[in-house]
Amino acid sequence: MHRDLTGPPRTVELVWGLLILNTLGSAGARTIVPLPRSLIQMATMGALVSAFALALLLNLRLRIRASAFLCLLTLMLVLSVVASAHPTSGFGALFRCFRLSLFVGTLWLLSRWWDGGEGLVRSHIRMYFAVLASVAAGLVVSPGAAMPELYGGRLVGALWPLTPPQIGQYAAVIIGLTVLLLLDRRTTGRSAALVVVPSLVLLALTHTRTATLGLIVGLLLAIGSLLLTSAAARRFFGWAVLVATTAAVGLSSLLQAWFLRGQTQENFSNLTGRAKVWDALLAAPRTTLEQLFGTGLGDKSFGGLPIDNSWLAVYNEQGLAGVAVVAAVFLTLGGVALLRPPSPARACAIFLISYCAIASYTEAGLGDASPYLLHLTVAASLLVVPDPGAPLAAPATPRRRVRQPEVT
């Protein structure tokens, strides 16, 4: 299949923005203007339906670019349908399967424009920066609503119900991607500062440890993959080590207070109560079928409490088979990234894969339509090898001026 170079990137970016809107969720902090949850769910589901319809209109001939990543997502969808078809799963599980089918179908339709370039990375940054701009606007309009006592003074979405971990995740991802684009001179320092500086401020206000750790480790691995080929990466790495060492020595008490968020050692050791939910989930009796295929797609909770672990959430809803599929996704993307030669695209992919792997320990979402699957989709698009059969524009060659003979 020849790579299509005539696709409308602006409309594709609109489809990507609608997918991001769908994964923002409907549960979170109280907003300045109360938004009924049913209205938010209608908006997010409408965004997904619109994204699928637009992608289908753009790709009426159903030209797709098959990949192991999309095949694994399709297998995950099949497992979800099998698990949710049980009568005890309820209508909600089947509806979530329908949502996941539209989500995966839209990714298949968009795969036509995957070519290993940075176009989807830039769309990813712009769309999530727009989300963060709404968070900043809410902070300016109503600081009390944006940093409520209910969340311990952590930053939340005051215009759209977003939790601190969500905001921290979006900020960390676009910071990492922007830094990597800057190292390769794919963006200017001024443009990068306009994204990175406010995003760092918002990340700090969320007090999100997982996002901060994922950002640091992901950038270390991504920049490490460029050390042998990029002088800019080596300089950035050296300065980053110097700044980090100085901050660790001079601001150790302040960093420790930020990291603990006022929690006791006992509360910190059981991961803010997450460990108790995990132990109860693993101890719950299950049939052999439930162990293999789970109980069907749900709201990523157990006993009324959030699971906050992608692997256990997948085990609960899609069983050991689902866990195997998620592991295969990481092994496939990670293996392909390691086999690719050093490049900025490979570095961005490594950052996204690393970030999602770290966040999977305290955040759920790898088994359903979520921002984490969108991050991994961007990584998959960066690892695509451009089609050598794609038509390339021939370089313009200067015409030779032929002197006409004189007529006498």
Side-chain angles (χ1 to χ4, degrees), residues 317-368:
E317 297 182 355
Q318 291 135 318
L320 294 174
V323 172
V325 171
V326 173
V329 168
F330 278 107
L331 290 175
T332 301
L333 291 178
V336 172
L338 291 177
L339 294 176
R340 292 283 185 268
S343 68
R346 175 191 184 226
C348 289
I350 289 175
F351 168 76
L352 291 170
I353 296 167
S354 305
Y355 182 89
C356 291
I358 293 171
S360 67
Y361 185 66
T362 58
E363 297 290 335
L366 288 177
D368 205 345

Side-chain angles (χ1 to χ4, degrees), residues 123-202:
S123 298
H124 209 55
I125 294 173
R126 281 193 289 262
M127 293 303 169
Y128 276 120
F129 186 74
V131 175
L132 294 181
S134 72
V135 175
L139 178 61
V140 172
V141 173
S142 179
M147 303 185 71
E149 291 297 328
L150 179 63
Y151 283 87
R154 300 170 65 190
L155 181 65
V156 300
L159 299 180
W160 185 278
L162 297 173
T163 61
Q166 285 180 282
I167 300 171
Q169 174 198 160
Y170 306 153
V173 166
I174 68 173
I175 289 170
L177 292 177
T178 303
V179 168
L180 293 173
L181 289 180
L182 178 63
L183 290 180
D184 192 50
R185 297 181 180 178
R186 300 298 178 92
T187 186
T188 63
R190 180 180 179 182
S191 298
L194 289 176
V195 173
V196 171
V197 173
S199 298
L200 277 173
V201 173
L202 296 181

Side-chain angles (χ1 to χ4, degrees), residues 215-227:
L215 171 63
I216 295 172
V217 175
L219 272 181
L220 285 176
L221 294 176
I223 295 174
S225 70
L226 295 172
L227 289 180

